[in-house]
Structure formats: C-alpha cells, structure tokens
C-alpha cells in the first residue's frame, strides 16, 4: 500500500520541523497527524479521529478551525511545545493536482508574540549561550516583540551565567548540541525554560550580524560572541521567515557595568517577585512600579534587575527624579500624557513582522499625538537626563500626519475586511465606496417601491451569503404578487424569496465594488505600513525615551508616596543610613508601625556588623533593608530613610533562608556552605554581604566554629574586608568584637514583661545575651505544657554542668538568665582548652596568640626595609600587649 499524495506531502513537510507540532492547513482547518495529533489531542482536549492515509491503519488526526488557531497555539507554547504553521501557498481552486504547502512560520516560546501569551509589563526573551574551546562564554538575548538585541561575553563561570539568566528570565535558550549536560541540568533545575539544541553550523562566523545591523563592526568583538549572536539571529530569521527589520540595533553590554547580584540574592531580596508565590505584590518592583505605560513597566523591571555602578549615571537619574518631585504640577501633567501612550515598541515589532492591524496603527497614532505635549512639559526641566530626553525625543509628526490622514477612527480588526482607509485619502477607494453606497441606496428604495406597487406592507428586501439579495413575501400575501414580476428563488416554511434581473445586476455591482474595495483598502494599508516601517529606528528611539521617562516618573511618584529621601552617592567607602526602613515590610504592616533603624558600615572600624537577637526580632528584615536601600540608590531611586550616604557597591551577596537548590536534592547545610564558599571566593572589598545564621544547618559546635572562621576570614583578608551584616544567634560570637578589628556588635532589642517578651525592633549597639527561644516558641502558640517542660529541661541543662541530665528529676521552674553557660563550657572542651581555662574568653586569647605567631613567622626579614621593619615591630608589640 502506498501513502496518499497528501500524506506524502505532509511527511515531507514534517521532516523539516521534527521538534515541532505541525499545524497542516487543509481548507478551513489546521490538521495534526500521527504523534502530533496524539500530543495535541491530549494537551488541547481535542477529539482524536483518524484519516485514510493510504496505509492499512488510518492516520491518527485531530484539527482546529484556522480562525481559532491562536488560542490553541498559545496553550501549546505555554506548555513548552513549538508549533510549525504550514499554509496552502496557492488558491486550491486554481491548483493543478495537489495544493502547494509549506511552513510559513515556526512559533516557539521565545519567539511567540501573540498578545494573549505576552505579559504587558514583562519582556519575553530568547537567549543563546555558547562556550568555546578557550572557555569563553558568549551570551545573547533578544525580545522579538520589542526588537531588543543585546550580547556580551566573558570567561565562563557558572554563577555569572546563572546570574545573567536570572536577570533576563528567558523562556527559551538555544545551545550547541554538544553543550555539557551538567550545565544544562543546573539551569533546568532552577528555571522554567525550554532548551533548543542546534547544530554547530548555527554557531558560525558568517556575516549574518552585518546584514541585520548596519553598524555592527566585527573587529570590536570576540569570535565567541559573534558565533553565539549569529546563532540567535539566524534561528530567529529562520523561524520567523521575515526580515525582522525592527531588530536593528546590536547592543553590547559588559556584565561588570552593572551591580552584580547573584541568583540567590535576587531571589532572597525579592526584587521582582516574592519567594513564596512568585507574585509581583510584595516585591521591590511592586513598590517602585508606578509606571503609566507598558514600555515603562518593562524598563523599570530592567532597571531593578540591573542597578548601576557608575556614579554619574546614578546621580543623573537621582537629579531627574528630584526635579520631577520638585515640580509636582508639571509631573502630574506628564503622568497624564503618559497614560495615553500605547505599547509603541510592540506595535513597531508587529509592523516589522507585517502582522500589525489598523487598530494598532490607530493606537500608534494616538500615542504619537501625545509626544509634543510631553516635549512641552520636559522642556521646563534642567537636569542632564531630562534635558537630553527633551533633545532626543522625536515627535514623529510625519508619521502622525500620515496615519491621521489615512486610517479611519474606528477601523475593523481584520485588515482584510475593509473599513480601514479614511475618505479623501485615496480617490479609487472613494469612488468604489460611492458605487457601493449608491447600490445600497437603490436597494433600500426598492423595498418601498415594491411595497407600494404590490400593496404588500410586509414585503422585505434581504440578503444572505448563499443567494445574495432577494425579495421576501410571506405565504399569506402570495396571492397579491403580480404575475411575472418576480423570479422565484427559494421557498421557506412560511415565505417565498424572489429576485429580479435588475436586483441581480445591482447586486453584482455592489458585491463587485465591495470586493474591489476590500482588496484596494488592504493594498493601501500595506503601503502605509511599509512606508512607516522605514522609520522604525525613529519610533524605537522615541519609545525608549518615553519608557525611561516613565521610569523616572515612577520613581518620583513612589518617592513621594512613601516619603523617601534622596541618597547621597559618596566616594568615601561607607554606607550610612539614618532611620532606614524596609520598603516592602513597612507597607505590609499597619502604617506607622515600622521601626526605623540606623546603619553605619565601612571598611575600617564598622566593617562587619554582628547582629544578635531572638528569632522574629527583626534581624533579617534589617539586613535586607540595608541591601535594598543600596540597590534602590544604585537604581537611581530615592530611599526609605531620613538620610542616606551610599558608596557604590560592585556586588551584593546574601546567604539567607532556604534555597532553590533544596529542590535539586542537596541538603540544607550543603547548599548553605556552597553559597558561603561562593561568596567568599567572589566578593571584593567593594561588595556588600548579608549572612544570616551561617552554620545553623549543622551541630552547634561545627556551626559556631564555621561562623567564627568566616568572620575572621572576611575581616582579616585584606582583599576582602567587605561590608558585611552577619546575623546569628550564637551569642558567643559577640566576643569577637574585642579580638577582630572591624567587628561591631549589634542586637535587636527585646523587653521582658512578666515572663513574656516584646519585640522592640530597634537595632542597638552591643550583643544580645539571651536567645529567648522558649519565649518565641510561646508567642508562636506552642502548648503551655510544652513551654513549661522546655523551661525545666533548659534549667536542668544549665545547672547540670557534667551533662548528666536526669530527665525524671527536672521539676523546678526557674529564670533562664544562665542559658549559655553550658554551651560556653562545651565550646571550651570542644576546642581542647586546658583544664585550667575556665573562662570562655581564654579561648579567644589562644587564637589571638596563634595569629600573632603566624604573623611573626610570615615576616620576610630579608626583604623589608628598616623603616618597614620598625613599623612591623611596633604593630607586633602593640598586638602582644593587647592579648
Ligand atoms: P528574624 O530575622 O530576627 O527572625 P524577621 O526579620 O524575620 O526576624 O522579622 C520578623 C517580623 O517582624 C517581620 O515579618 C516583620 O513583620 C516584623 N518586623 C521586622 N522588623 C521590623 C521593624 N523594624 N519594624 C516593625 N516590624 C518589624
């Protein structure tokens, strides 16, 4: 048995898109066959049928009407599938033999631009990365809906790659087919993303980039970057099968030009979504996003994902925000104008891919109409950024004029239904419209004329698609129809339908004019669209200025609403915050209840703030607040504080809470240590580190020792010495303030009232001496009996220094002030302290002595000048005396 010709054609097409679900156009349906049909029927809940294909068994088949395709495509793409659209390339009525068919587009998660799939305020990125033999890694991103195309390269490092992915959050990643599976799995564990593997030929040095980007200069970039960017571009051109003229700017970026925030930190600080339910509400973006356009919304998200490290750029943004804040009424006008601006970027993308409709061009016109007013408003401002925006903002008057003259005020949704072009724009269209109107008037008159003639009041002239125009007379009136006046056409249950030769003649004229009109309107529309396409770069430029302006306006609005102040960006290596607040937590609790706190961090005396205090006291809130204030300042936002001086950080690291990796099967402790090690390896003296309860995941002694060693490492390592916030409930560590330079003790104050504790949320100098664990447990609602018993056990442990706890004999209730004595003794034992050492402090002295000995033995006597030698001696004597 042989396959039918149609099935042969199907299989030939399918061969070209094996990894896609093929939508095969047959008449008014897209049909799917074989395995595709099975997948689609399952995923889309379609009935699975079969079709004779020439073989013994029928081919499994399911189908969808062509006009409903988008809904189904969106569902498949959201589930991570790719869809290839195969169309009929010739009119079936004219085709000789089988109709020609081919793929006209491949839709993938990273290239889909349907409005139902895209989120307004979020870019949809497709990414490619490529690691070459030398270890260089090319990274490239594109949002096909807006035309953004940016690329970079760096020495391959897993953290950097993960950070970049988390910044852009792509929905599809292209990789070379031999890419190390370990890397791919690490990414898959953390991100919900579809991978597309491509052959080596995609990662070539061909001149695809030069063709797309006229300004692209190959000599400015490495081969690895070119190969990788080439791949992304080629893939998009191949799948979209259009020239993508709106992707016209190659943007190189350097990773180190932005504040580096590693993947865990982004997550922990909840910059754009919360950890718990991944919602925007509760994130920093939620607080800062007061944008009025979707373009601004997307841009602000980018600003938050990529805070700056360049002082001038940060100060420019801050100055612009300040100016907007100081000119409230102009700012209000600006916001009003921005409100009416549609998504120019995405409309431009549609113009380029030739699937824009007239309604969207009308939205484009209405948006452009607002630009002169926006220019007029920002003309009044003096700050650098606003002045440059004023100068760069093209009001696109010519495009406005063209659209205003040509597109009707309420065009049809489909560009193939007419009702698009305005009266007076094109003579031929006007002429056809007159013919059509004249015909319709004639028909309207016909009804009256025939009623009068026949005396039948209920005589009607109607229209349907099958029979065209007709005269309808109810059965009860048939006797009044004059003989020979009408030709019978159709009999209904209670009426007859007639035509006349004149009526048919007029019908031909009307329908002829209508068809011509629809075709001509479409032609003229395409010409308008194509002539606008030539100005894509100008429109994109104005759109980008509007997006940035909207971001500044948003920052000004949130600063005003939340009572933020302008941070001073200082060259002095310090972070000084007066009455700082956590921007999100203060919004989540009743107004006025948030307790503001001060912060002083530098790289000399106040380098590592050791924060102790019971659980729930507010330690992590405080630490996060400091990081968020720094990030906000580097975004160019005002900050939740009375006053803030911020020196620019290059990287922010956090080790807080649970991690994504838990899902990947690693233990809490393992993950914690991996993260700490990553921080210690990558932080610099310009970094900010937040460490919360390091060492908690293991036994007390191990944990305490690790925490201790980490603090020493950070403060004593001259290449590190970075600003650090270290929260712990190992109170024993507070002793380090006296032994390690730069450590400062702080605690969150609590008050004990009648055996209960009250959190005061105030960060004060000095360490906490109690953990109040049992009191916190009581607050959390643990049964009274358990609390009482816990206190008894605790008391017994404290009393029973030999550790022989006779659980049956614990009866007395007591205060808990001696809670730590046992732990202190245990540590002394653990560190093999001699029996004469009965004070916890002695243990630190040993370490200091050890350190001093190490320091003395490391002096290279033969290679220092007498002056250096004298200084060293002075230092050593000073240290020895302090022990
Ligand atoms: P810890 O890290 O010490 O266990 P958290 O920082 O998680 O405590 O704080 C616990 C809760 O206390 C937070 O969810 C918040 O509601 C509240 N809180 C924290 N800091 C403050 C503050 N400064 N003012 C008011 N409430 C606060």
């Amino acid at each position: 048995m042989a396959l039918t010709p149609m099935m042969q054609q199907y299989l030939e097409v399918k061969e070209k898109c094996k990894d896609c679900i093929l939508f095969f156009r047959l008449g008014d349906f897209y049909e799917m066959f074989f395995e595709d049909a099975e997948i689609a029927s399952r995923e889309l809940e379609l009935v699975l049928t079969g079709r004779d294909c020439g073989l013994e068994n029928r081919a499994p088949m399911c189908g969808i009407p062509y006009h409903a395709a988008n809904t189904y495509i969106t569902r498949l793409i959201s589930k991570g599938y790719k869809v290839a659209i195969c169309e009929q390339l010739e009119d079936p009525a004219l085709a000789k033999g089988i109709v020609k068919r081919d793929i006209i587009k491949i839709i993938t998660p990273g290239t889909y631009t349907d409005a139902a799939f895209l989120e307004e305020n979020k870019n949809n990125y497709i990414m490619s990365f490529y690691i070459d033999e030398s270890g260089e890694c090319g990274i490239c991103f594109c949002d096909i809906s807006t035309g953004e195309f940016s690329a970079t390269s760096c020495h391959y490092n897993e953290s950097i790659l993960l950070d970049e992915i988390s910044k852009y959050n792509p929905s599809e990643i292209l990789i070379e087919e031999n890419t190390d599976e370990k890397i791919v799995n690490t990414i898959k564990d953390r991100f919900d993303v579809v991978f597309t593997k491509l052959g080596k030929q995609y990662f070539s040095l061909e001149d695809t980039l030069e063709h797309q980007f006229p300004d692209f200069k190959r000599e400015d970039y490495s081969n690895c970057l070119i190969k990788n960017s080439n791949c992304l571009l080629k893939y998009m051109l191949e799948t979209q099968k259009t020239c993508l003229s709106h992707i016209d700017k190659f943007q190189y970026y350097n990773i180190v030009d932005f504040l580096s925030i590693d993947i865990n930190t982004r997550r922990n600080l909840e910059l754009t979504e919360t950890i718990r339910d991944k919602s925007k509400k509760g994130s920093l973006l939620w607080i800062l996003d007061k944008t009025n356009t979707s373009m601004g919304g997307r841009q602000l998200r980018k600003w938050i994902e990529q805070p700056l490290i360049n002082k001038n750029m940060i100060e420019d943004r801050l100055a612009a925000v300040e100016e907007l804040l100081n000119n409230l009424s102009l700012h209000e006008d600006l916001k009003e104008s921005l409100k009416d601006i549609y998504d120019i970027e995405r409309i431009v993308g549609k113009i380029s891919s030739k699937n824009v409709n007239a309604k969207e061009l009308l939205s484009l016109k209405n948006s452009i109409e607002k630009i002169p007013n926006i220019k007029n408003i920002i003309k009044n401002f003096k700050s650098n950024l606003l002045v440059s925006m004023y100068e760069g903002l093209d009001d696109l008057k010519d495009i406005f004029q063209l659209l205003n003259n040509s597109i009707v005020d309420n065009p049809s949704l489909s560009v193939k239904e007419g009702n698009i072009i305005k009266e007076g724009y094109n003579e031929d269209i006007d002429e056809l419209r007159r013919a059509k109107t004249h015909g319709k008037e004639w028909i309207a008159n016909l009804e009256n004329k025939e009623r009068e003639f026949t005396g039948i009041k209920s005589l009607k002239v109607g229209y349907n698609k099958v029979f065209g125009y007709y005269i309808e007379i109810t059965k009860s009136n048939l006797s009044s129809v004059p003989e020979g006046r009408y030709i019978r056409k159709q009999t209904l249950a209670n009426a007859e339908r007639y035509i006349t030769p004149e009526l048919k003649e007029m019908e031909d004229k009307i329908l002829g004019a209508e068809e011509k009109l629809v075709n001509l309107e479409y032609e003229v529309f395409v010409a308008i669209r194509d002539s606008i396409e030539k100005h894509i770069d100008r429109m994109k430029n104005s759109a980008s200025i509007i997006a940035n302006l909207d971001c500044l306006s948003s920052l000004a609005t949130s600063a005003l609403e939340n009572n933020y102040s302008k941070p001073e960006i200082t060259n002095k290596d310090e972070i000084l915050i007066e009455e700082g607040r956590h921007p999100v937590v203060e919004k989540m609790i009743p107004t006025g209840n948030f307790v503001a706190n001060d912060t002083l961090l530098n790289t000399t005396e106040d380098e590592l703030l050791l924060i102790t205090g019971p659980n729930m006291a507010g330690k992590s809130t405080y630490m996060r607040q400091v990081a968020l204030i720094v990030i906000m300042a580097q975004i160019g936002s005002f900050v939740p504080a009375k006053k803030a001086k911020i020196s620019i950080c290059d990287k922010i690291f956090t080790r807080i809470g649970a991690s994504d990796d838990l899902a990947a099967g690693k233990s809490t402790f393992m993950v914690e240590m991996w993260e700490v090690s990553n921080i210690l390896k990558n932080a610099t003296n310009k970094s900010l580190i937040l460490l919360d309860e390091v060492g908690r995941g293991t036994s007390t002694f191990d944990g305490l020792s690790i925490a201790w060693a980490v603090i020493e490492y950070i403060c004593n390592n001259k290449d590190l010495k970075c600003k650090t916030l270290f929260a712990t409930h190992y109170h024993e560590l507070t002793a380090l303030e006296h032994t390690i330079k730069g450590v400062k003790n702080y605690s969150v104050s609590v008050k004990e009232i009648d055996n209960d504790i009250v959190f005061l949320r105030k960060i004060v100098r000095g360490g906490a001496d109690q953990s109040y664990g049992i009191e916190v447990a009581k607050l959390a609602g643990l049964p009274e009996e358990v609390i009482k018993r816990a206190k008894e056990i605790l008391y017994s442990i404290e009393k029973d220094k030999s550790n022989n706890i006779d659980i049956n004999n614990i009866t007395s209730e007591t205060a808990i002030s001696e809670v730590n004595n046992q732990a202190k003794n245990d540590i002394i034992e653990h560190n093999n302290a001699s029996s004469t050492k009965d004070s916890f402090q002695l243990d630190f002295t040993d370490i200091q002595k050890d350190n001093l000995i190490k320091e003395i033995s490391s002096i290279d006597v033969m290679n220092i000048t007498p002056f250096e030698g004298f200084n060293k001696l002075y230092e050593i004597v000073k240290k020895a005396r302090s022990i």
Side-chain angles (χ1 to χ4, degrees):
M1 290 182 99
L3 281 171
T4 59
M6 197 280 291
M7 256 317 146
Q8 266 177 28
Q9 187 186 42
Y10 172 84
L11 291 175
E12 274 162 28
V13 177
K14 177 68 196 175
E15 196 58 25
K16 296 187 209 165
C17 58
K18 282 191 199 142
D19 60 342
C20 303
I21 294 192
L22 178 61
F23 275 34
F24 193 72
R25 182 74 179 261
L26 288 177
D28 281 347
F29 275 76
Y30 286 116
E31 304 287 6
M32 285 147 270
F33 296 105
F34 303 108
E35 204 192 337
D36 285 359
E38 278 156 13
I39 297 174
S41 72
R42 192 176 61 234
E43 299 287 7
L44 303 173
E45 292 154 42
L46 299 171
V47 182
L48 190 66
T49 58
R51 184 180 175 113
D52 285 330
C53 58
L55 300 178
E56 205 168 306
N57 294 328
R58 281 154 67 85
M61 175 179 98
C62 65
I64 48 163
Y66 82 96
H67 55 79
N70 273 1
T71 328
Y72 291 104
I73 294 172
T74 303
R75 279 168 65 187
L76 286 174
I77 300 292
S78 309
K79 288 170 189 260
Y81 293 100
K82 299 177 189 172
V83 176
I85 309 287
C86 173
E87 286 291 352
Q88 299 172 165
L89 298 182
E90 54 187 351
D91 186 343
L94 307 175
K96 288 199 189 89
I98 195 149
V99 181
K100 260 197 212 141
R101 292 187 176 83
D102 209 348
I103 298 171
I104 56 137
K105 192 174 196 171
I106 292 176
I107 303 168
T108 72
T111 57
Y112 195 33
T113 52
D114 190 76
F117 178 73
L118 296 179
E119 282 179 54
E120 262 186 27
N121 291 329
K122 219 170 165 183
N123 287 90
N124 182 35
Y125 287 110
I126 179 167
M127 172 204 187
S128 64
F129 73 84
Y130 174 70
I131 304 164
D132 73 6
E133 311 75 40
S134 72
E136 188 177 343
C137 177
I139 299 175
C140 185
F141 290 92
C142 178
D143 180 344
I144 201 164
S145 72
T146 63
E148 177 189 342
F149 190 98
S150 40
T152 189
S153 71
C154 59
H155 187 73
Y156 173 70
N157 170 315
E158 184 182 285
S159 317
I160 293 182
L161 181 62
L162 292 178
D163 293 354
E164 289 307 293
I165 298 176
S166 69
K167 216 191 272 181
Y168 287 86
N169 218 345
S171 47
E172 183 176 358
I173 300 182
L174 312 179
I175 46 167
E176 206 262 324
E177 57 197 357
N178 298 319
T179 307
D180 186 353
E181 276 301 314
K182 215 176 114 235
I183 300 174
V184 177
N185 289 334
T186 309
I187 298 170
K188 277 188 183 161
D189 283 343
R190 289 175 172 79
F191 302 95
D192 184 16
V193 61
V194 172
F195 275 90
T196 300
K197 290 186 177 176
L198 298 166
K200 242 199 153 54
Q201 71 277 13
Y202 278 86
F203 297 85
S204 73
L205 287 168
E206 281 167 33
D207 53 3
T208 327
L209 292 163
E210 278 91 338
H211 279 127
Q212 190 75 21
F213 309 107
D215 297 339
F216 183 81
K217 288 202 186 69
R218 154 173 309 253
E219 56 279 16
D220 292 346
Y221 305 106
S222 69
N223 280 352
C224 179
L225 180 145
I226 294 174
K227 284 182 184 173
N228 181 52
S229 309
N230 246 345
C231 163
L232 183 55
L233 183 58
K234 270 204 240 175
Y235 178 77
M236 288 193 301
L237 291 169
E238 244 179 58
T239 54
Q240 302 309 295
K241 304 196 187 289
T242 66
C243 61
L244 301 172
S245 55
H246 68 304
I247 303 180
D248 57 355
K249 202 162 158 209
F250 180 88
Q251 281 174 294
Y252 172 77
Y253 73 100
N254 195 341
I255 290 168
V256 295
D257 286 346
F258 298 100
L259 171 64
S260 151
I261 310 175
D262 71 289
I263 168 170
N264 293 318
T265 305
R266 272 173 211 285
R267 197 174 157 268
N268 284 328
L269 295 178
E270 305 190 303
L271 295 185
T272 55
E273 61 182 29
T274 58
I275 299 178
R276 190 183 298 199
D277 54 8
K278 302 216 170 293
S279 65
K280 178 178 166 189
K281 183 167 186 217
S283 67
L284 180 63
L285 176 65
W286 171 64
I287 297 290
L288 295 182
D289 189 359
K290 306 283 173 209
T291 53
N292 285 298
T293 67
S294 0
M295 299 180 289
R298 289 196 296 271
Q299 185 71 350
L300 187 71
R301 186 182 278 270
K302 266 185 250 170
W303 281 18
I304 292 176
E305 298 278 17
Q306 300 192 314
L308 304 169
I309 53 167
N310 178 300
K311 188 164 184 274
N312 290 340
M313 285 164 80
I314 297 172
E315 284 175 340
D316 276 349
R317 283 192 192 167
L318 287 170
V321 172
E322 185 174 37
E323 200 169 20
L324 290 169
L325 266 173
N326 291 341
N327 290 280
L328 283 185
S329 101
L330 282 174
H331 184 206
E332 280 308 312
D333 292 348
L334 177 66
K335 286 198 278 188
E336 273 311 306
S337 297
L338 288 170
K339 264 185 199 144
D340 296 326
I341 296 204
Y342 290 83
D343 201 335
I344 302 179
E345 280 175 348
R346 283 196 172 150
I347 297 179
V348 164
K350 288 185 165 188
I351 294 176
S352 153
S353 55
K354 308 204 185 297
N355 64 2
V356 73
N357 65 30
K359 276 205 185 302
E360 285 157 339
L361 285 192
L362 195 70
S363 302
L364 177 65
K365 179 195 96 174
N366 293 337
S367 307
I368 297 177
E369 192 176 12
K370 301 288 166 213
I371 299 181
N373 193 34
I374 291 178
K375 282 203 82 158
N376 226 3
I377 297 168
I378 56 174
K379 190 170 75 187
N380 299 292
F381 295 124
K382 308 273 177 298
S383 60
N384 292 343
L385 207 52
L386 291 171
V387 168
S388 73
M389 283 178 175
Y390 169 74
E391 287 165 356
L393 187 58
D394 180 341
D395 55 15
L396 308 169
K397 260 201 187 103
D398 46 337
I399 299 175
F400 174 80
Q401 279 310 342
L402 172 61
L403 294 172
N404 197 36
N405 293 341
S406 59
I407 308 286
V408 294
D409 289 340
N410 190 13
S412 2
L413 204 56
S414 156
V415 289
K416 296 200 170 152
E417 276 175 12
N419 186 32
I420 300 177
I421 305 298
K422 247 187 191 169
E423 183 96 41
Y425 182 71
N426 179 295
E427 257 179 39
D428 294 340
I429 289 179
D430 292 351
E431 183 63 42
L432 287 167
R433 276 208 188 117
R434 273 195 293 277
K436 194 176 121 183
T437 321
H438 171 253
K440 289 211 162 153
E441 273 167 16
W442 185 91
I443 286 184
N445 288 337
L446 182 73
E447 195 171 83
N448 287 337
K449 211 173 83 193
E450 294 303 310
R451 277 183 187 173
E452 236 166 65
F453 187 84
T454 58
I456 306 172
K457 288 218 171 60
S458 61
L459 178 148
K460 266 192 338 205
V461 174
Y463 176 82
N464 75 24
K465 274 199 171 145
V466 184
F467 294 108
Y469 287 98
Y470 53 80
I471 296 166
E472 186 175 295
I473 297 171
T474 54
K475 290 231 158 112
S476 56
N477 288 311
L478 285 184
S479 55
S480 316
V481 177
E483 189 76 16
R485 186 164 180 85
Y486 305 135
I487 306 161
R488 181 176 304 155
K489 189 77 188 170
Q490 193 190 6
T491 305
L492 304 180
N494 53 4
E496 288 288 343
R497 286 180 176 171
Y498 301 95
I499 53 167
T500 67
E502 301 84 60
L503 181 58
K504 283 294 124 181
E505 207 175 292
M506 198 43 90
E507 177 184 302
D508 286 347
K509 275 194 192 156
I510 295 174
L511 295 186
E514 220 157 49
E515 196 186 325
K516 276 191 206 146
L517 189 61
V518 166
N519 290 340
L520 188 59
E521 284 204 64
Y522 177 67
E523 257 174 49
V524 172
F525 173 80
V526 168
I528 295 168
R529 181 192 71 197
D530 291 349
S531 77
I532 292 179
E533 191 184 345
K534 298 199 182 85
H535 303 283
I536 274 183
D537 53 339
R538 288 172 57 209
M539 290 188 281
K540 272 180 71 181
N541 179 47
S542 291
S544 144
I545 291 178
I546 288 166
N548 285 321
L549 190 57
D550 198 12
C551 289
L552 294 171
S553 153
S554 175
L555 293 181
T557 308
S558 58
L560 182 71
E561 286 178 3
N562 301 316
N563 195 20
Y564 294 165
S565 60
K566 184 180 175 188
E568 180 191 329
I569 306 298
T570 170
N571 287 327
K572 211 171 138 198
D573 218 351
E574 69 173 9
I575 293 174
L576 192 151
I577 301 168
E578 262 177 45
E579 296 185 22
R581 286 136 32 214
H582 188 296
V584 180
V585 175
E586 72 164 341
K587 293 301 236 183
M588 296 295 206
I589 60 177
T591 317
N593 280 13
F594 193 88
V595 179
N597 277 305
D598 301 342
T599 308
L600 171 64
L601 274 165
N602 52 40
T603 42
T604 51
E605 298 299 320
D606 307 274
E607 183 194 329
L608 186 143
L609 312 188
L610 192 80
I611 307 159
T612 41
N615 279 326
M616 278 299 287
K619 300 185 296 299
S620 12
T621 306
Y622 176 69
M623 297 205 299
R624 287 185 163 99
Q625 140 186 339
V626 174
L628 286 173
I629 288 176
V630 170
I631 288 178
M632 288 168 81
Q634 293 191 215
I635 288 168
S637 163
F638 281 27
V639 296
K642 190 170 160 210
K643 194 174 158 197
K645 266 193 198 178
I646 307 288
S647 67
I648 294 170
C649 291
D650 63 349
K651 302 176 187 180
I652 294 190
F653 294 97
T654 58
R655 158 82 279 281
I656 303 178
S659 161
D660 269 350
D661 283 315
L662 287 181
K666 295 184 196 159
S667 79
T668 318
F669 180 64
M670 187 64 194
V671 172
E672 180 183 329
M673 288 303 113
W674 183 85
E675 284 180 18
V676 172
S677 122
N678 180 48
I679 295 173
L680 297 183
K681 278 185 208 147
N682 292 304
T684 76
N685 60 2
K686 291 267 177 283
S687 306
L688 173 66
I689 306 184
L690 313 186
L691 297 169
D692 195 5
E693 306 285 6
V694 163
R696 176 166 55 176
T698 183
S699 75
T700 314
F701 300 132
D702 285 359
L704 180 57
S705 318
I706 291 169
W708 181 338
V710 167
I711 296 175
E712 270 187 0
Y713 186 83
I714 293 173
C715 295
N716 292 342
N717 184 337
K718 66 177 182 340
D719 295 328
L720 209 53
K721 288 186 124 353
C722 46
K723 301 177 199 76
T724 308
L725 295 165
F726 195 110
T728 182
H729 53 233
Y730 296 128
H731 316 117
E732 297 79 6
L733 292 175
T734 54
L736 295 178
E737 180 179 273
H738 309 294
T739 58
I740 303 177
K741 189 171 168 245
V743 175
K744 281 273 151 67
N745 288 333
Y746 284 86
S747 57
V748 201
S749 51
V750 290
K751 208 171 174 172
E752 246 184 293
I753 302 175
D754 299 338
N755 259 341
D756 279 332
I757 52 164
V758 178
F759 298 117
L760 301 180
R761 316 281 187 215
K762 201 76 194 163
I763 303 283
V764 291
R765 264 299 266 133
D769 52 0
Q770 293 187 34
S771 71
Y772 294 105
I774 298 179
E775 281 66 17
V776 176
K778 186 175 165 192
L779 283 183
L782 224 60
E784 189 56 42
E785 223 181 302
V786 177
I787 299 291
K788 192 167 157 242
R789 182 70 181 147
K791 282 186 180 169
E792 286 171 2
I793 297 170
L794 176 65
Y795 179 67
S796 172
I797 295 171
E798 286 166 5
K799 285 282 173 216
D800 193 348
K801 303 260 195 257
S802 62
N803 233 356
N804 284 330
I805 307 168
D806 180 359
I807 296 172
N808 294 321
N809 281 329
I810 305 170
T811 51
S812 50
E813 247 186 285
T814 184
I816 54 168
S817 58
E818 295 170 35
V819 63
N820 293 312
N821 292 348
Q822 177 64 31
K824 286 176 188 168
N825 285 336
D826 289 347
I827 289 165
I828 292 163
E829 277 171 32
H830 183 73
N831 287 302
N832 295 327
S834 79
S835 57
T836 53
K837 290 174 184 167
D838 55 0
S839 142
F840 178 64
Q841 197 60 54
L842 285 177
D843 203 37
F844 283 92
T845 315
D846 268 359
I847 291 195
Q848 282 177 296
K849 282 181 189 163
D850 267 3
N851 284 347
L852 191 61
I853 293 169
K854 262 193 233 152
E855 191 177 339
I856 296 172
S857 51
S858 70
I859 298 173
D860 185 357
V861 184
M862 304 309 287
N863 277 318
I864 52 174
T865 63
F867 183 68
E868 284 167 345
F870 179 76
N871 275 344
K872 201 79 209 167
L873 185 62
Y874 177 77
E875 255 175 50
I876 292 169
V877 171
K878 205 170 128 196
K879 278 187 189 159
R881 283 182 185 154
S882 74
I883 295 175

